[in-house]
Amino acid sequence: MKNFSKYILPLLSIMILSALTMSCTQDEPKDSPFVDPDKPNESTVLIYAVATNSLWANLLEDKIEMTLAGPDIDLSKNNVLIYQTIYGYDEEDNRVSEASIVKLVKQNDPVNPYGWETVKEYSNETGSLNPSRVAEVIDYVKGNFPADSYGLVFWSHSTASQPSETTRAISSMGSSVSSPVALPELGYFGEDQTTSQKEYTYLDIDLLAQAVPDGLFEYIWFDSCLMSNIETIYQFRNKCETFVAYPTEVLDKGLPYHLVLPCMVGKDKDLVEAANRFFQYYSESFGTIAVADMKKLGALTDFCREIFSPGVEISVSDLTKYSRKSIGPFYDFGQYLASIAKAQGIDYETGFSALMNDFLMYKATTSGRLLNLTIDPETYSGISAHVYSFGVDDVKESYYKSLDWYKEVFGE
C-alpha cells in the first residue's frame, strides 16, 4: 500500500479550494464579472500568491479570511482578485499544479455568503515566477478589471535583496533556476513548482521589479518575509506610491486579511490603518512592519549618497540583525547609516531623522523574540540593509553591485 501521508493534505486543499470557488471552463464565465471599461471601479486589488510550496495551507486560510471581510467591502465598486497556484499529487506520484485568477464575489448562499469565482485559468507550462507570467497576469487584470486605483500584494516566501542560488548569466536572460538547498537557506522572492519540473524555482527582485509596470499601482505590499529592505524598496521606486513590507520574517499566518483587507480597497483606503491592524494582531507575539512613501525616497537617497563612501569599513557587532542562518545578513538601516557616519566623523542624526520621518508613514515592532532575534523598538528604523563588503567578489556581492541602490549610492 502506498503511503498517502504526503498527498492527503495538498489534495484536500485543492478539494476545499474547489468547493469555495465557482469554476468555469472558459476564460470568461457565462455571467461575466468583468468591469465596463468605460465605468471603472474604485479599486482593483491583485494578490499574487505563489503557494506551490509549504505555504499552500496558509493560502487556504487567507482566502477564508478574505471572504469574512466581504461584508465590509463594496464588491460592486471594488475588485479583489487572487492569482493563485495550488498543487497536489496523482496516483503515480506526479505533481499536479493549477494556476488561475479568482475573484471575491457575493453569492446566493446563506451559509457562505461570499466566495470565489474563477475568471481566468493558466497553463502550467510557464512557472508563476517567470517574469513573463507576472507581467501577463498584471496586464490581464489591468485590461479586464479597470479601476481608478490598483493595489498589488506579493504573497509567498521571500528573502529580499539576496540573490537566489543562480548565476547572473542565467538570471539576466529572465530565467529562474532550481536549487537543492532547503528553506530557509536561499534568497529569492517566491518558491514555485507550477510546472511539471520537480525542482523549485525562484525570482530575484530585479527581475520581479522589471515585470511590474511603472506607475500603475497605488501600493505594493509584500506579504512575505524580509522585504522592507532598502535595496528592495529602491528597486521598486517607480512601481508604486506606497510600499509596505516587513524587515524581518513574518509568522506564517501573514496578514490577517479579515481585519486589513477592508482598509486596502476603495477610494478611502487607509494603508496606515491596515498596517496598524496587522501590528495589533501580532502585538502579543512577534511582528514588524513599515509603510513607506515612495515620493520621499529621492531625498533620502540623496542624503545616503553623501554618507555612504566606498572603502569605509564598519563593525556589524552593534547593529540589530533582522535575518538568521545564511539569509542576508540584513541589519537595521538606520543603525548602519549611523555607523557609516560615525566612521567618517559626520554629524548626521538630525537630518537623517527628519528624512526617515518623512519617508516612513508608519513603522512598528514588537519587543518579543522570534527565534534568536530580539528587536528594541527604540532603535528600530523599520528598514533593513545589506552591509556591503568592499573588495569581496563572490556571487552575493556581485549581485548586490547589480542592484540600483548600490549603483545610486555607492557609484563605484
Side-chain angles (χ1 to χ4, degrees):
M1 178 181 291
K2 288 186 177 181
N3 178 2
F4 286 96
S5 61
K6 71 174 181 177
Y7 309 132
I8 186 65
L9 289 178
L11 285 173
L12 180 62
S13 72
I14 291 179
M15 293 170 62
I16 296 175
L17 284 171
S18 297
L20 289 172
T21 304
M22 296 179 287
S23 299
C24 58
T25 57
Q26 300 177 348
D27 286 350
E28 296 191 21
K30 195 174 205 180
D31 298 322
S32 175
F34 299 149
V35 177
D36 183 346
D38 295 325
K39 298 178 180 179
N41 276 359
E42 290 179 354
S43 69
T44 291
V45 177
L46 168 64
I47 296 97
Y48 196 93
V50 182
T52 39
N53 51 53
S54 63
L55 297 176
W56 61 268
N58 297 104
L59 177 59
L60 174 61
E61 293 174 0
D62 284 351
K63 291 182 69 175
I64 293 173
E65 289 179 350
M66 292 180 208
T67 63
L68 296 177
D72 296 320
I73 300 172
D74 186 349
L75 294 177
S76 68
K77 298 180 180 179
N78 300 282
N79 306 302
V80 177
L81 306 168
I82 303 176
Y83 172 82
Q84 61 178 13
T85 60
I86 56 178
Y87 75 94
Y89 294 89
D90 64 20
E91 294 182 354
E92 297 179 352
D93 287 3
N94 296 313
R95 188 177 177 114
V96 179
S97 301
E98 297 178 7
S100 61
I101 296 178
V102 295
K103 182 177 186 285
L104 183 62
V105 295
K106 190 172 183 179
Q107 54 193 25
N108 188 24
D109 184 340
V111 178
N112 299 302
Y114 292 86
W116 297 95
E117 184 172 19
T118 302
V119 297
K120 175 74 173 176
E121 295 178 346
Y122 288 88
S123 165
N124 63 4
E125 294 180 0
T126 300
S128 294
L129 293 177
N130 188 309
S132 66
R133 172 57 61 86
V134 178
E136 178 186 9
V137 170
I138 292 173
D139 187 62
Y140 176 83
V141 168
K142 178 185 176 183
N144 290 282
F145 298 93
D148 294 332
S149 70
Y150 295 87
L152 175 61
V153 178
F154 281 118
W155 185 111
S156 193
H157 290 296
S158 60
T159 56
S161 63
Q162 180 171 320
S164 59
E165 293 292 313
T166 179
T167 65
R168 299 311 302 158
I170 293 177
S171 291
S172 66
M173 293 187 292
S175 301
S176 52
V177 300
S178 62
S179 170
V181 183
L183 283 172
E185 303 300 320
L186 296 173
Y188 50 78
F189 167 76
E191 184 186 49
D192 178 50
Q193 206 178 65
T194 300
T195 68
S196 59
Q197 297 178 9
K198 294 183 179 180
E199 297 84 7
Y200 285 113
T201 59
Y202 311 91
L203 187 59
D204 292 335
I205 62 164
D206 54 338
L207 298 179
L208 178 63
Q210 289 175 19
V212 178
D214 288 356
L216 175 62
F217 292 102
E218 182 175 347
Y219 67 87
I220 293 177
W221 190 312
F222 276 94
D223 191 19
S224 59
C225 296
L226 298 159
M227 299 300 272
S228 183
N229 168 271
I230 191 62
E231 295 86 2
T232 303
I233 292 171
Y234 194 76
Q235 204 71 33
F236 281 83
R237 65 194 179 281
N238 298 320
K239 308 301 177 178
C240 59
E241 298 175 18
T242 306
F243 185 97
V244 189
Y246 328 122
T248 62
E249 292 172 77
V250 61
L251 297 182
D252 60 3
K253 289 180 65 66
L255 274 173
Y257 285 95
H258 58 299
L259 301 176
V260 304
L261 189 59
C263 300
M264 299 168 67
V265 302
K267 61 181 179 181
D268 297 322
K269 68 179 69 64
D270 189 340
L271 299 177
V272 169
E273 176 59 24
N276 182 59
R277 292 185 182 189
F278 164 90
F279 176 68
Q280 295 302 325
Y281 183 78
Y282 286 107
S283 61
E284 299 301 319
S285 53
F286 182 89
T288 62
I289 194 167
V291 181
D293 181 352
M294 300 295 262
K295 296 187 296 296
K296 305 296 180 63
L297 180 57
L300 180 63
T301 303
D302 292 341
F303 183 85
C304 290
R305 192 185 304 111
E306 298 298 320
I307 296 294
F308 285 106
S309 178
V312 175
E313 297 290 344
I314 66 165
S315 171
V316 299
S317 60
D318 294 329
L319 306 183
T320 300
K321 185 179 177 183
Y322 290 141
S323 56
R324 61 190 179 93
K325 296 190 175 181
S326 64
I327 295 175
F330 301 126
Y331 297 95
D332 186 90
F333 174 59
Q335 295 174 26
Y336 177 31
L337 196 67
S339 296
I340 289 286
K342 184 177 180 180
Q344 301 177 88
I346 299 173
D347 182 8
Y348 89 108
E349 183 62 37
T350 302
F352 177 72
S353 295
L355 290 170
M356 284 292 286
N357 288 338
D358 282 344
F359 179 54
L360 291 185
M361 304 161 65
Y362 178 89
K363 66 175 181 177
T365 180
T366 56
S367 56
R369 289 179 62 86
L370 175 64
L371 300 175
N372 63 331
L373 300 179
T374 302
I375 300 174
D376 181 355
E378 294 298 319
T379 59
Y380 168 76
S381 73
I383 302 174
S384 73
H386 171 70
V387 175
Y388 175 60
S389 299
F390 293 94
V392 176
D393 194 25
D394 60 15
V395 173
K396 185 182 297 186
E397 300 300 351
S398 295
Y399 175 68
Y400 184 77
K401 291 174 69 173
S402 75
L403 296 176
D404 291 348
W405 175 257
Y406 173 87
K407 295 175 182 176
E408 183 64 29
V409 302
F410 290 104
E412 280 191 311

